[in-house]
Amino acid sequence: MSICAIITIGLFLSGIFAGSTAQRGDSAAITITPAEPLMGGEAVLSCNFHLPEGERWLEVTWKKDGIGIFRLSRKDRKKTVLRGSPIPSGRMDLENAPEHSLHITSVEPQDSGRYQCIVGYGDDMYGETIMNVLVPPSSPIITPSIENGKIVERDLLTLTCESLNGSPPANVTWWFGEQMFTNATYTMDEMGTGKSVITLKAQEYQNGRPFICKAWNRALPENEPIVAELIADILFTPRATITPASEDVIEGQSISIECSLRGRPSDYREVQWIKDGTVLDTPQLAQTLELPDVSRTSSGQYRCSAQNSLSWGPQSNDFSLTVMYVPSVTLLLEGLNITTRKEGDQIALQCIVDAVPEANAYSWSHAGVTVAGADQPIFGINSVVKDSRGIYQCTGNNTVASAMSNTFFLDVEYLPRAALFSEQAVDGVVTVIESEGATVNATCVLDANPPSDQVQWFRDGAQITGEESATISVAGITREQAGLYTCKGVNSLGVGEASSSVQLIVQYAPEQLQLMPQEHVAVAEGQKIPVSFTCSAESVPEPQYNWLYGEEILAENSATLQFEGAITRDRKGMYSCQAANALGQITGAVEVSVLYHPSCVTPLSEYVGKIGDVVVLRCEVDASPSQVEFRWTVDGEEVSEHADKELVSEVTVELQQLSDFKEYHCQAKNKLGTGVEPCVIQLFEIATALPASPVDCDYIALPTSINITCKEGQAAGSQQHYVVLSRAGREMARSLHPDFYIVAEPQKLYHLDVLAVSGLGNSSRVSLSILTPSIEAPKPLMSQAALIGVVIAAIIIVFIIIIVIVFLSQKKKKVNKANYSLREGERK
């Protein structure tokens, strides 16, 4: 059988098997692409269905609103347009559309409706959906309702806007500028008409501006409605405006006030002027009010209004006229008229100004100098101080001019002010070294009203008795005399405040070093030191601290030593803290002991002897703490007699027979516990003969390696090992036991010797000749003839299955065909 025939049978079988495994469904489903087609665009209606197992569709019929469009026959795969089709063939793609689909190439509004696809297969399967065609609305039409042919402000105005033939009907809205009318009434009908009606009261501000109608439905792009406008022509009474709204003039000057008018119509018949609510006697159409040589009585609120053929309009805005004149200024002291006050008293000075406009600025001067921030009619001092003494004046200002008040003198009494000076001080600090025995001088300078008659001296806030003069001298300075020095003055009012301080610093080297912990810390190996080390010392200036381990600096410029991670035995020892300043240093240390389990100094030791000898076996361990207990065992039994001294234990063995040559175990224990691994001491007999040759040698040869396995011969009493040599004498492998792995090359002959070796010499050799195999290519799992036989058998089995399936399918279709014939007329 040819390969083409095999492929054809395979494709046919896959089609049958696919049809037989399709899921059974009760109805067809129609999908529309796009879901809402646009008038003039395309629409594809796809009929999706799953037939019962083993069935094939015979024809597919499309209907709209119960009227047939076309029928697709499976026999000829041709779409036949039915008589009276609601969609003419010129607007359908009958050739290129997917097989079960209805493709409308140019959608029209009347294509909206209910669509059905009917799948015939011996029975009928129905799918149904509704398609809505989107149609853009027409341009909006605006219809205003106007009484007597004109619009007058405050009249009711009804505006109607309609947009026709939209699918869906257009959403119609009314706008004025950027503001949408929310009280409009919207309606729509089945003919695709959207209508919006708004009723409003005409306003003057709407004159000459557009009312906007917007129509939109889903057939239009988002935010792109169709727009129509109506420009309003509204009649209104005159609107009067006076600009500017106010004006200031100086007494004796002249002023003209203009009344601007705006009305529709502009046939103004009369203009009125009103001052403070009283109508003025002015010419009938005077839009300008002239006021020559104004006086302060001319000040007031002015308005104007006008009349046109409709009626009088509203009065204008207020125009404020202010007649200004020069200020008159007087300074008064509130309360008791006493010109001498004590420091801390409260006073208030008042600046009284008569002026129009009212004073808009005040200023105060003290001793001829303007006081910053004093710009109010009352100048208050909540607490009088020494510097408050002097002459005061105020000045009142308005836009016309400024004027100055009378003068006022204030005298202030105050407690002494003290200032402390020392020629040895730098920025208020005197620094001396204690060991030099220096002398320090200081002077207290006083300022008081009335004058001071006494001086008091203080160190760190405590008064120094016996010192009342203005100068103090401190000789032979010690650290006890260090501190902050101040002074105070005394007058008839009392004791004044302390002066600024002079700090006396007495320097000395670090002393009295204290460590925490104080002397010793013990910690188990592998654990973290649980505390931080700190040190402190007394000195002036403050010392700098360094922590050291030997010569290694652990913490520089820090009084605290922090430990990170677990400690090991190599970090035991002394940790020292060094405190130092420019005058000297002091050092202290904390000892750290690292505790750990005993461990063998030599994990494996070997001793030799011969029968009749006495051998001393030695076991040495390292441990902290070093107080340990030893335990010896041989063949699992404890050795009771052993000599222990600190970290060393010894066992004496008398060699009387061959069985005395054994392996001994030694373990030590301290307060942390027993060591993990025992120390192993092996006792061997001194060799007296050459080692025995290996026996029963065998091998496995692979292309790239050789494995040799032998049995050990009789040992000669001494440690021995095994080697493999080439015939040229090159060592190929070495092992404690006669088992070897040798890297080799494919298809090569190797001549090898296996022998045992000890301190007394070599055993006799066991010779082997080994040929490694070649690397063979992988063999096929099946021959070509066998493969052809399997393929032919598979083809025969497939062919038999096809015949059985076709026979069963034809038998079932004969039963269904009669039912289909009965329903065929119904579909037509």
Side-chain angles (χ1 to χ4, degrees):
M1 184 178 294
S2 68
I3 293 177
C4 292
I6 294 172
I7 293 174
T8 302
I9 293 172
L11 291 174
F12 180 68
L13 279 174
S14 65
I16 292 175
F17 293 154
S20 63
T21 58
Q23 295 181 354
R24 184 178 185 87
D26 296 328
S27 64
I30 300 176
T31 57
I32 306 174
T33 306
E36 289 185 314
L38 186 64
M39 182 181 73
E42 296 187 30
V44 177
L45 289 78
S46 302
C47 185
N48 307 303
F49 55 88
H50 291 287
L51 296 179
E53 185 176 358
E55 296 293 342
R56 293 189 304 170
W57 66 273
L58 301 177
E59 65 178 27
V60 175
T61 303
W62 278 93
K63 292 183 178 182
K64 175 183 177 295
D65 298 330
I67 302 174
I69 302 172
F70 71 76
R71 178 177 294 117
L72 170 67
S73 172
R74 182 185 184 91
K75 182 176 182 180
D76 55 10
R77 304 286 178 168
K78 181 178 180 181
K79 295 178 180 178
T80 302
V81 179
L82 302 177
R83 180 178 301 174
S85 170
I87 303 175
S89 59
R91 290 197 296 111
M92 291 188 293
D93 182 359
L94 301 173
E95 300 296 333
N96 302 313
E99 191 170 46
H100 305 134
S101 299
L102 168 59
H103 181 189
I104 305 174
T105 58
S106 177
V107 177
E108 293 185 358
Q110 62 268 25
D111 293 340
S112 293
R114 186 183 305 275
Y115 285 80
Q116 287 181 308
C117 70
I118 305 169
V119 182
Y121 61 94
D123 200 346
D124 284 345
M125 181 179 290
Y126 293 85
E128 187 174 285
T129 191
I130 294 176
M131 184 175 77
N132 294 315
V133 178
L134 298 181
V135 180
S138 65
S139 297
I141 302 171
I142 299 176
T143 306
S145 65
I146 303 173
E147 296 182 4
N148 301 324
K150 61 181 180 180
I151 306 173
V152 180
E153 64 175 334
R154 293 187 295 277
D155 285 352
L156 287 179
L157 174 63
T158 300
L159 301 177
T160 302
C161 182
E162 290 184 306
S163 178
L164 310 177
N165 302 325
S167 178
N171 180 32
V172 182
T173 55
W174 277 104
W175 298 72
F176 188 81
E178 297 298 325
Q179 186 69 35
M180 185 180 78
F181 289 104
T182 58
N183 58 340
T185 301
Y186 171 76
T187 58
M188 62 179 179
D189 60 26
E190 295 180 354
M191 301 304 294
T193 299
K195 180 168 70 174
S196 181
V197 180
I198 179 69
T199 300
L200 49 86
K201 186 179 290 187
Q203 303 290 335
E204 170 270 332
Y205 73 88
Q206 297 165 343
N207 180 59
R209 297 179 62 187
F211 289 90
I212 302 170
C213 175
K214 299 181 181 180
W216 184 87
N217 70 1
R218 295 193 302 277
L220 297 175
E222 189 73 22
N223 297 323
E224 293 186 19
I226 303 173
V227 177
E229 295 182 352
L230 173 67
I231 305 298
D233 183 9
I234 299 172
L235 304 180
F236 55 92
T237 58
R239 300 300 194 266
T241 307
I242 302 176
T243 54
S246 64
E247 192 166 343
D248 298 338
V249 296
I250 298 173
E251 194 172 23
Q253 294 180 343
S254 300
I255 184 172
S256 298
I257 306 174
E258 292 287 338
C259 181
S260 299
L261 299 176
R262 181 173 58 86
R264 185 171 176 81
S266 58
D267 54 344
Y268 309 123
R269 299 178 179 181
E270 187 177 351
V271 177
Q272 284 184 345
W273 285 93
I274 304 99
K275 176 182 181 292
D276 296 331
T278 302
V279 177
L280 301 179
D281 185 12
T282 58
Q284 185 175 358
L285 288 174
Q287 290 186 236
T288 301
L289 178 63
E290 299 288 349
L291 298 176
D293 191 20
V294 296
S295 65
R296 55 188 72 181
T297 59
S298 302
S299 296
Q301 302 294 322
Y302 291 81
R303 290 184 178 184
C304 65
S305 65
Q307 180 187 37
N308 66 2
S309 57
L310 294 178
S311 182
W312 280 93
Q315 290 185 0
S316 70
N317 58 296
D318 283 331
F319 172 80
S320 180
L321 176 62
T322 302
V323 179
M324 303 179 293
Y325 51 90
V326 177
S328 174
V329 186
T330 304
L331 189 151
L332 296 177
L333 174 64
E334 291 185 344
L336 297 175
N337 192 18
I338 301 174
T339 61
T340 300
R341 300 294 175 91
K342 291 183 176 60
E343 192 170 34
D345 287 349
Q346 186 178 52
I347 68 166
L349 303 177
Q350 185 175 11
C351 189
I352 301 174
V353 180
D354 177 23
V356 173
E358 293 182 354
N360 57 7
Y362 295 85
S363 62
W364 291 83
S365 64
H366 173 218
V369 178
T370 300
V371 180
D375 56 3
Q376 299 300 316
I378 294 179
F379 177 68
I381 303 177
N382 291 328
S383 180
V384 172
V385 296
K386 167 197 169 185
D387 295 336
S388 303
R389 185 175 184 272
I391 295 174
Y392 290 84
Q393 276 187 297
C394 74
T395 301
N397 300 270
N398 68 3
T399 56
V400 179
S402 64
M404 186 173 289
S405 73
N406 53 303
T407 61
F408 173 82
F409 178 77
L410 176 65
D411 189 19
V412 180
E413 293 181 343
Y414 51 91
L415 292 170
R417 267 56 166 182
L420 184 56
F421 296 94
S422 175
E423 293 182 356
Q424 297 158 283
V426 177
D427 294 331
V429 178
V430 177
T431 303
V432 297
I433 299 174
E434 184 179 38
S435 60
E436 295 179 355
T439 298
V440 176
N441 300 312
T443 300
C444 187
V445 179
L446 299 174
D447 174 22
N449 183 23
S452 175
D453 53 11
Q454 183 184 349
V455 177
Q456 296 177 351
W457 288 91
F458 300 84
R459 179 177 65 240
D460 293 333
Q463 187 173 356
I464 303 173
T465 60
E467 295 288 351
E468 295 183 357
S469 64
T471 301
I472 187 174
S473 180
V474 183
I477 298 295
T478 64
R479 69 184 69 176
E480 288 76 15
Q481 293 167 309
L484 288 175
Y485 284 79
T486 58
C487 65
K488 296 179 181 179
V490 182
N491 67 2
S492 60
L493 299 179
V495 180
E497 293 183 357
S499 68
S500 58
S501 63
V502 171
Q503 184 179 12
L504 176 59
I505 297 176
V506 181
Q507 295 183 336
Y508 53 93
E511 56 187 42
Q512 299 183 22
L513 183 70
Q514 293 187 356
L515 298 172
M516 289 297 294
Q518 294 182 351
E519 296 179 355
H520 181 264
V521 172
V523 61
E525 185 175 35
Q527 296 183 356
K528 181 180 177 181
I529 294 180
V531 295
S532 300
F533 289 3
T534 60
C535 69
S536 61
E538 294 184 4
S539 73
V540 176
E542 285 286 330
Q544 286 189 339
Y545 298 94
N546 291 324
W547 279 95
L548 301 95
Y549 178 70
E551 297 297 325
E552 179 186 355
I553 297 177
L554 302 179
E556 190 171 10
N557 297 329
S558 174
T560 302
L561 175 60
Q562 301 278 359
F563 290 91
E564 300 290 340
I567 194 167
T568 57
R569 65 189 69 181
D570 61 336
R571 299 297 286 182
K572 66 183 178 181
M574 304 302 292
Y575 288 76
S576 60
C577 174
Q578 184 184 83
N581 65 9
L583 303 179
Q585 71 177 36
I586 188 172
T587 302
V590 178
E591 182 181 5
V592 175
S593 298
V594 181
L595 307 180
Y596 47 88
H597 294 78
S599 60
C600 300
V601 174
T602 304
L604 176 64
S605 303
E606 295 180 357
Y607 290 82
V608 295
K610 60 184 183 296
I611 294 175
D613 288 348
V614 176
V615 180
V616 177
L617 306 181
R618 178 185 174 89
C619 175
E620 183 178 359
V621 297
D622 179 21
S624 179
S626 59
Q627 293 76 28
V628 298
E629 297 178 2
F630 286 93
R631 179 175 182 271
W632 286 77
T633 59
V634 59
D635 293 336
E637 296 184 1
E638 186 171 352
V639 178
S640 58
E641 295 184 4
H642 46 83
D644 302 337
K645 184 178 181 181
E646 294 184 352
L647 297 174
V648 177
S649 179
E650 294 180 345
V651 169
T652 302
V653 180
E654 295 182 2
L655 300 175
Q656 299 177 357
Q657 53 190 353
L658 287 177
S659 61
D660 292 335
F661 294 92
K662 298 182 178 180
E663 181 176 277
Y664 289 77
H665 288 183
C666 166
Q667 273 190 306
K669 170 183 165 183
N670 64 5
K671 71 176 184 178
L672 267 69
T674 304
V676 178
E677 296 291 339
C679 307
V680 179
I681 299 99
Q682 294 180 334
L683 180 58
F684 295 101
E685 181 186 8
I686 297 175
T688 58
L690 293 176
S693 301
V695 297
D696 298 335
C697 292
D698 197 4
Y699 65 87
I700 298 174
L702 301 175
T704 58
S705 65
I706 300 172
N707 291 285
I708 300 175
T709 301
C710 303
K711 294 181 180 178
E712 295 184 353
Q714 179 63 41
S718 178
Q719 277 191 312
Q720 63 186 34
H721 60 273
Y722 298 87
V723 296
V724 177
L725 302 176
S726 68
R727 293 293 168 83
R730 184 168 66 89
E731 184 176 303
M732 303 293 288
R734 175 187 292 265
S735 176
L736 291 175
H737 304 284
D739 297 318
F740 308 96
Y741 173 84
I742 300 172
V743 177
E745 297 179 9
Q747 206 168 5
K748 183 176 180 179
L749 181 61
Y750 289 87
H751 300 285
L752 304 175
D753 293 330
V754 184
L755 63 155
V757 179
S758 72
L760 296 178
N762 301 338
S763 70
S764 59
R765 303 188 178 196
V766 177
S767 298
L768 299 173
S769 295
I770 302 171
L771 176 64
T772 57
S774 61
I775 299 176
E776 298 182 1
K779 296 180 179 181
L781 297 177
M782 187 179 295
S783 66
Q784 184 175 4
L787 180 61
I788 293 173
V790 170
V791 172
I792 293 173
I795 292 171
I796 293 171
I797 293 171
V798 169
F799 185 72
I800 293 170
I801 293 172
I802 292 171
I803 292 173
V804 172
I805 291 173
V806 171
F807 175 77
L808 293 176
S809 176
Q810 291 298 326
K811 183 177 181 181
K812 187 175 183 179
K813 281 180 174 52
K814 287 180 181 180
V815 176
N816 291 336
K817 188 172 182 182
N819 295 330
Y820 173 77
S821 299
L822 291 175
R823 293 183 177 87
E824 185 176 9
E826 218 174 288
R827 287 193 300 273
K828 295 181 178 179

